[in-house]
Amino acid sequence: MPRKFGISTKVAGGVLAVAMLGALNATTAGAAGAQPDGATSMRAAHVPSPAARANASYQALTKYFETGQQNLLLEEYPNTQSNPYSYVWPYSQAAVAAENLAGIPGAGRKASAEAQRRLAGYAPYWNATTTPKGYDSYVRPPLGGGGDKFYDDNEWIGLNLIQHYQRTGDRSSLARAKEIFALVVHGWDTDPTHPCAGGVYWTQAPWSQDRNTISNGPGAELGAHLYLLTRDKSYLTEAKRMYAWAQQCMLAPNGLYYDHIDLAGNVEKTQWSYNQGVMLGAGTLLYKATHDRKYLNDAKALATASLAFYGTDDRLWLQPTRFNSIYFKNLLLLDSVAHNPAYKATMQAYAERAWNEVRDPATGLFHFADGPVLLLEQSAMVQIDALLAWPRSRYGELA
């Protein structure tokens, strides 16, 4: 499945790095780096509230990315792809955005209905003809030709469904999340001769046999959530196994996680922000599931190391926004059990910089790179701003 990495060239002299380090220094000093829930660290008259920003950005998403067909969306705007609809990974992030909006206190029935509509949009991707069942990477006949299954794609959807279940109590969402986890477990490498044997593969596609942090970290999160909701120990066993594999095989000397390992033993050492997010989130959830402080200490150490790493040389800004949204969400999940004002302050600084520097006020679209606006990036900004409008008391509902 094509993965596009449009990294912005619009770097403004380290503004975010300064803001991040300022927030971190204030936190370290025990000063007023923390803001009340719903406030922003650098509020200016021309910057709307997080909730207003999130709603405006989502309205732009629906205006420019809707296709008029079964709730499906475009991959980018304007669309230059041969496919008339997005792959499931971008679509899932729009669905997460809608769910985050629905979780804002007082969002109301309209927002909840929109989140439900986005969940209905997964249906054309569902493949019930395989064992295990799961979501194909592209819409299936008659709308499209389907595609290979990616384990991380399915995990994002599973986590979306868990968050929806925790907000609404919709048991069909929980049931589908269980089906997705069965697929993820099916993706475990069972060949003991492989370098770093074990781990969940990235995809079922024949052209890749990589095992990735991003297919194991969210898998561990999904399993931990399912254990917390059902107390079925098989979920916890699998979650711990995925987490342990990533720690053993992907953890770098600087305390951050590499991307993946192939069957020749070659490690791809890029340290994407979402890899750090899912692993600190998995550690947080495993701590909640087991009360073993090792997992919490892991999560806190990774948060500290990653904030320092991405706070240097404007690195966070140079990460894809779709990765940062996942990183930020998991920082808030950690904040629900181990409060640190730096987590939200960093997120606030990033969101306000994006609003001021790369958003087109005429369309409401975010131009992080030249060319078409990606659904993934627009959805990520909705996610970030929506969660900035959540009170800390609700962070434990994130998935």
Side-chain angles (χ1 to χ4, degrees), residues 7-351:
I7 310 253
S8 173
T9 57
K10 302 175 182 177
V11 179
V15 174
L16 181 62
V18 172
M20 286 178 67
L21 292 175
L24 289 169
N25 289 339
T27 301
T28 303
Q35 299 287 329
D37 284 321
T40 56
S41 57
M42 303 183 294
R43 179 65 52 81
H46 62 287
V47 179
S49 71
R53 296 197 305 263
N55 278 290
S57 299
Y58 190 78
Q59 289 172 12
L61 186 157
T62 58
K63 178 178 180 180
Y64 292 104
F65 290 88
E66 287 279 7
T67 66
Q69 178 67 259
Q70 296 192 32
N71 302 313
L72 296 172
L73 297 168
L74 298 173
E75 181 93 359
E76 60 185 18
Y77 179 83
N79 189 40
T80 64
Q81 305 296 310
S82 58
N83 289 328
Y85 311 113
S86 76
Y87 284 91
V88 75
W89 147 239
Y91 184 87
S92 73
Q93 298 310 290
V96 171
E99 185 60 42
N100 288 358
L101 281 169
I104 296 174
R109 293 181 180 179
K110 184 176 180 180
S112 186
E114 181 64 12
Q116 190 66 49
R117 183 172 79 94
R118 285 281 162 247
L119 290 186
Y122 285 131
Y125 298 94
W126 180 249
N127 188 344
T129 69
T130 56
T131 303
K133 304 171 185 176
Y135 290 97
D136 282 3
S137 60
Y138 193 65
V139 291
R140 293 182 50 73
L143 295 175
D148 296 303
K149 291 184 181 64
F150 286 74
Y151 293 106
D152 62 330
D153 289 353
N154 280 270
E155 289 160 351
W156 304 130
I157 298 170
L159 292 171
N160 181 194
L161 293 167
I162 290 292
Q163 187 170 315
H164 182 75
Y165 170 74
Q166 297 194 135
R167 182 176 63 84
T168 67
D170 173 23
R171 298 198 66 82
S172 66
S173 292
L174 179 60
R176 180 53 57 88
K178 292 177 181 179
E179 288 186 282
I180 289 171
F181 193 69
L183 171 70
V184 174
V185 172
H186 177 76
W188 185 264
D189 173 24
T190 59
D191 189 335
T193 68
H194 289 162
C196 260
V200 176
Y201 286 104
W202 179 46
T203 179
Q204 294 180 349
W207 44 263
S208 173
Q209 287 80 46
D210 297 338
R211 290 153 294 151
N212 293 46
T213 300
I214 211 57
S215 51
N216 287 272
E221 289 189 291
L222 182 56
H225 275 298
L226 288 170
Y227 170 74
L228 288 166
L229 292 169
T230 68
R231 296 297 165 174
D232 181 335
K233 291 185 178 179
S234 66
Y235 293 124
L236 181 59
T237 298
E238 294 295 343
K240 291 167 70 174
R241 183 166 73 150
M242 294 171 196
Y243 181 86
W245 179 87
Q247 273 207 325
Q248 177 185 348
C249 297
M250 292 289 101
L251 186 59
N254 68 347
L256 274 65
Y257 284 83
Y258 294 140
D259 190 66
H260 69 263
I261 184 171
D262 65 20
L263 292 188
N266 301 306
V267 175
E268 210 297 302
K269 295 184 177 181
T270 305
Q271 295 182 321
W272 299 112
S273 58
Y274 72 161
N275 286 329
Q276 321 319 317
V278 295
M279 287 304 294
L280 68 88
T284 300
L285 290 165
L286 286 171
Y287 167 69
K288 291 176 70 174
T290 65
H291 306 292
D292 183 343
R293 291 196 66 86
K294 174 196 178 299
Y295 290 115
L296 180 59
N297 291 338
D298 287 348
K300 291 166 68 176
L302 179 53
T304 298
S306 60
L307 286 172
F309 179 80
Y310 295 118
T312 303
D313 298 330
D314 217 27
R315 288 176 181 145
L316 188 64
W317 188 252
L318 297 175
Q319 290 282 305
T321 306
R322 54 196 175 274
F323 294 176
N324 288 341
S325 63
I326 294 166
Y327 175 61
F328 290 140
K329 176 190 70 176
N330 283 283
L331 283 174
L332 297 187
L333 180 61
L334 173 59
D335 196 57
S336 72
V337 298
H339 183 48
N340 186 331
Y343 302 158
K344 186 173 181 180
T346 301
M347 186 175 178
Q348 288 169 333
Y350 182 92

